[in-house]
Amino acid sequence: MFSRPWALILLVLLVALVFWQRFSTEKSQLSRTALLMGTLVEIQANGDDRELLETAVTDAIAEMSRLEQLFSTHIPQSEINRLSDAGTLQVSIETAELLTLGQQIARSSQGAFDMCLGNLKRLWDIESQAPKTPSEKELREALRGIGPESLQIEGRQVTKQTESLRIDLGGIAKGYAVDRAVEILRAAGVLSAAVNAGGDIRLLGYRQGQPWRIGIQHPRQNGEVIATLMLQDRAVVTSGDYERYFEVEGTRYHHLFDPQTGRPARGCQSVTVVAADAASADALATAAFVLGPQKGLALLEQMPEVEGFLIAADGSRLTTSGLEDFLEWH
Amino acid sequence: MALGSALRRLTLFDRYLVVIFALLVVVSFLFPFSKQPGARVVVDADHRTVYTAPLNENRTFEVSGPLGDTRLTIENGAVRVLSSPCPQKICIGMGEAHQAGDLLACVPNRIVIRVEGQAEGESYDLLSR
């Protein structure tokens, strides 16, 4: 072999390189889906050790399933439902951590994000076959006692300040579970992965040496992408009025409620937030949506390591100052 | 000069080898070995694959879940949910899936629809919605 001319040796190496590049990525990609937390969860992991990927992804899905048992309002004995029923409860570390983060964002957004809208969501019952538009009196009653200070959190001891309050972690729990899944993957030695829970996405490392390309759903053109973000090691969450809604006489009633009025917020079509973790991105996307374009943009600008863009109700686009380098409009 | 000298030192066997390797490189770029364009639709119900079909053949079909039958259609290279027994119809509102990695799901009826295989001109790796 080594007596051959260098050109031939070089050619052999070139061919080997080309084939290695074309086939090696195929072997090392693993993708799994699961129906969890009321949505479709997909985990993609990339790496050379298939067995390690299998174990890590299985463990990550198991962790998300465990967290669903803590946070879901659809599971009667979940920790959140027990807290809503009891008034005071010594909760798990995870629940305490999540509630503490949620309360910080509730305060930063002056109550635009609220974890105590359980009664309001039950009243609208937007996921049922017969959702209804409540009266003003019903709305006032459902909003009684809500606000950033409605929960007192001391370590793992959580107390509701108003007995009738019901906690609902929609708008933060999914993001938190995504974060935990990514931590499981990272701890197992996975260097490249993406966890996507119904559009709440967190990225670990790069995808095949390049930033991940995250398409953002167009809020008014089904199946179309309005923008692409090029990111790594970041979380991306989009909240929009097109996700869950019903219509009565041409008016769209969606699931992103303004805690001040108890009615769907009207200022935006969608909000996309990029942050270091998915729980914060999740809650901030809801808060910015509720605040509307100008105040929502101001909220995102004031948060450290947070970027995002808002599509206002009239279709205009507002972008935070640090996003331009990663954003491509379509 | 060096190249000319190197080429002169090649035996006939070496030259055949060079041509074969060069062809392999060209072919590897012209034809994707791993995934075919014109991806497939794969439908899972309750964690079991119950239906697969090419994405480039128009058809309408039904898949059963715990709530009843979810009706799907493949049309013009995209799959979407036509009707569903679930209360909120979010799966219908999700619209079309057309590129590799795209996912649709009816969570209440435990049905997951995904597009596998690589289509040309993919513009994103994941979709935030």
Side-chain angles (χ1 to χ4, degrees), chain B residues 2-3 7 26 34 41 47 49 51 54-55 58 65 68-69 72 74 82 85 89 94 97 102 112 125 128-129:
Chain B
L3 183 62
L7 287 175
V26 171
S34 50
V41 175
H47 307 295
T49 298
Y51 195 93
L55 196 60
N58 293 355
D69 291 343
L72 301 155
I74 301 173
L82 275 183
K89 319 292 183 201
M94 289 176 90
D102 276 356
V112 176
D125 305 315
S128 178
R129 54 174 145 203

Side-chain angles (χ1 to χ4, degrees), chain A residues 3-8 11-12 14-15 18-19 22-23 26 29 33-42 44 125-129 131 194-196 198-201 203 207 211-217 222-225 228 236-240 242-246 272 330, chain B residues 2-3 5-7 9-11 13-15 17-19 21-22 24-25 27-35 44 46-47 85-90 92-96 98-99 101 103-114 118 121-129:
Chain A
S3 62
R4 300 277 190 220
W6 59 265
L8 190 62
L11 194 63
V12 171
L14 182 68
V15 172
V18 166
F19 275 78
R22 292 190 69 82
F23 290 109
E26 275 310 296
Q29 285 184 3
T33 56
L35 295 172
L36 287 171
M37 310 189 90
T39 194
L40 176 64
V41 174
E42 185 194 20
Q44 287 183 33
D125 204 8
I126 211 155
E127 293 187 17
S128 75
Q129 271 183 319
V195 180
N196 181 359
D200 287 21
I201 296 170
L203 309 166
R207 182 181 183 273
W212 297 78
R213 299 169 305 169
I214 309 301
I216 309 298
Q217 167 82 49
N222 214 338
E224 296 294 319
V225 169
T228 306
V236 185
V237 175
T238 301
S239 286
Y242 50 85
E243 293 173 272
R244 297 173 189 198
Y245 67 89
F246 66 96
T272 297
H330 289 242
Chain B
L3 183 62
S5 157
L7 287 175
R9 285 167 55 204
L10 290 177
T11 65
F13 177 73
D14 289 341
R15 288 177 192 201
L17 218 53
V18 168
V19 172
F21 282 162
L24 278 173
V25 171
V27 166
S28 83
F29 278 100
L30 289 179
F31 300 97
F33 287 103
S34 50
K35 291 178 178 178
D44 291 354
D46 228 0
H47 307 295
C86 62
Q88 261 273 296
K89 319 292 183 201
I90 292 169
I92 299 173
M94 289 176 90
E96 295 180 346
H98 57 88
Q99 76 161 47
L103 291 163
L104 302 174
C106 179
V107 177
N109 210 23
R110 315 292 296 170
I111 288 170
V112 176
I113 304 125
R114 63 180 188 274
Q118 201 156 24
E122 292 178 357
S123 60
Y124 55 83
D125 305 315
L126 296 163
L127 185 62
S128 178
R129 54 174 145 203

Side-chain angles (χ1 to χ4, degrees), chain A:
Chain A
M1 178 79 182
F2 291 99
S3 62
R4 300 277 190 220
W6 59 265
L8 190 62
I9 295 168
L10 207 63
L11 194 63
V12 171
L13 290 174
L14 182 68
V15 172
L17 182 69
V18 166
F19 275 78
W20 178 78
Q21 280 201 319
R22 292 190 69 82
F23 290 109
S24 62
T25 53
E26 275 310 296
K27 283 189 293 184
S28 60
Q29 285 184 3
L30 179 71
S31 178
R32 287 265 181 81
T33 56
L35 295 172
L36 287 171
M37 310 189 90
T39 194
L40 176 64
V41 174
E42 185 194 20
I43 300 183
Q44 287 183 33
N46 307 309
D48 295 329
D49 187 339
R50 182 91 187 170
E51 201 174 321
L52 182 147
L53 296 182
E54 293 265 6
T55 307
V57 170
T58 303
D59 290 349
I61 288 174
E63 174 67 356
M64 294 181 82
S65 180
R66 184 182 75 82
L67 293 174
E68 183 181 23
Q69 298 298 315
L70 296 179
F71 302 149
S72 174
T73 54
H74 298 293
I75 298 171
Q77 281 307 305
S78 71
E79 197 164 61
I80 283 307
N81 276 342
R82 284 192 286 120
L83 175 58
S84 289
D85 293 338
T88 298
L89 195 69
Q90 183 88 355
V91 298
S92 61
I93 292 170
E94 292 87 346
T95 300
E97 186 180 52
L98 179 58
L99 291 174
T100 302
L101 174 66
Q103 192 172 52
Q104 285 167 4
I105 294 174
R107 286 173 180 155
S108 302
S109 66
Q110 272 129 33
F113 175 73
D114 197 302
M115 296 182 291
C116 291
L117 299 182
N119 286 324
L120 183 72
K121 291 181 182 178
R122 276 186 175 182
L123 184 61
W124 281 90
D125 204 8
I126 211 155
E127 293 187 17
S128 75
Q129 271 183 319
K132 55 179 183 177
T133 50
S135 67
E136 280 299 329
K137 188 181 167 205
E138 287 174 316
L139 290 174
R140 274 200 305 276
E141 184 59 27
L143 295 175
R144 203 159 58 83
I146 67 159
E149 309 307 325
S150 56
L151 297 177
Q152 188 183 337
I153 307 165
E154 288 175 9
R156 288 167 55 191
Q157 181 90 1
V158 183
T159 305
K160 293 188 305 174
Q161 302 295 69
T162 304
E163 194 186 340
S164 61
L165 278 178
R166 290 205 73 82
I167 300 162
D168 185 302
L169 299 178
I172 191 166
K174 234 172 19 171
Y176 182 86
V178 166
D179 289 332
R180 288 291 309 146
V182 167
E183 291 314 316
I184 297 276
L185 296 170
R186 191 200 306 271
V190 177
L191 300 176
S192 166
V195 180
N196 181 359
D200 287 21
I201 296 170
R202 177 133 173 223
L203 309 166
L204 177 60
Y206 290 83
R207 182 181 183 273
Q208 295 171 8
Q210 299 289 323
W212 297 78
R213 299 169 305 169
I214 309 301
I216 309 298
Q217 167 82 49
H218 195 298
R220 290 293 178 269
Q221 291 171 26
N222 214 338
E224 296 294 319
V225 169
I226 194 167
T228 306
L229 292 165
M230 311 291 279
L231 298 167
Q232 70 280 340
D233 288 317
R234 277 286 175 274
V236 185
V237 175
T238 301
S239 286
D241 63 4
Y242 50 85
E243 293 173 272
R244 297 173 189 198
Y245 67 89
F246 66 96
E247 286 182 331
V248 177
E249 294 169 359
T251 303
R252 178 179 291 198
Y253 296 94
H254 60 80
H255 71 301
L256 296 166
F257 298 108
D258 183 343
Q260 282 202 328
T261 64
R263 297 180 180 281
R266 297 291 180 203
C268 296
Q269 295 177 4
S270 75
V271 174
T272 297
V273 174
V274 179
D277 65 280
S280 299
D282 201 0
L284 285 169
T286 302
F289 188 101
V290 167
L291 287 169
Q294 302 300 339
K295 288 183 180 172
L297 183 68
L299 172 70
L300 299 185
E301 291 280 21
Q302 83 179 44
M303 303 300 288
E305 286 197 79
V306 170
E307 302 292 342
F309 65 86
L310 304 91
I311 311 297
D314 63 3
S316 58
R317 303 165 180 184
L318 296 88
T319 307
T320 59
S321 49
L323 197 66
E324 295 294 343
D325 292 346
F326 318 103
L327 176 68
E328 182 187 315
W329 292 108
H330 289 242

